[in-house]
């Protein structure tokens, strides 16, 4: 696991925590969807950059 993939996964998990928090606070759904898209992109990018695929 290199540094960039670690950062991407950590940021993705941070955004997932934000999604949970915003959902509990009943924030607007569009904001939650935007965070969900960002979290998914970070997590997928972090997993795809792992060196186990070679």
């Amino acid at each position: 696991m290199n540094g960039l993939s670690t950062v991407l996964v950590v940021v993705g998990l941070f955004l997932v925590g934000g999604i949970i928090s915003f959902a509990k606070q009943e924030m607007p759904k569009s904001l939650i969807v935007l965070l969900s898209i960002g979290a998914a992109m970070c997590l997928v990018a972090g997993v795809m950059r792992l060196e186990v695929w070679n």
Side-chain angles (χ1 to χ4, degrees), residues 1-10 40-54:
M1 202 174 207
N2 60 14
L4 185 57
S5 63
T6 304
V7 169
L8 286 169
V9 170
V10 168
M41 286 172 46
C42 283
L43 289 173
V44 168
V47 169
M48 293 300 290
R49 285 195 53 91
L50 290 176
E51 296 175 0
V52 297
W53 307 113
N54 293 333

Side-chain angles (χ1 to χ4, degrees), residues 9-27:
V9 170
V10 168
V11 168
L13 293 175
F14 177 77
L15 290 175
V16 168
I19 293 166
I20 294 169
S21 174
F22 282 8
K24 286 183 181 179
Q25 295 178 30
E26 299 178 359
M27 298 293 271

Side-chain angles (χ1 to χ4, degrees), residues 18-19 22-23 26-38:
I19 293 166
F22 282 8
E26 299 178 359
M27 298 293 271
K29 297 294 181 194
S30 60
L31 183 62
I32 295 173
V33 168
L34 184 65
L35 277 176
S36 301
I37 292 169

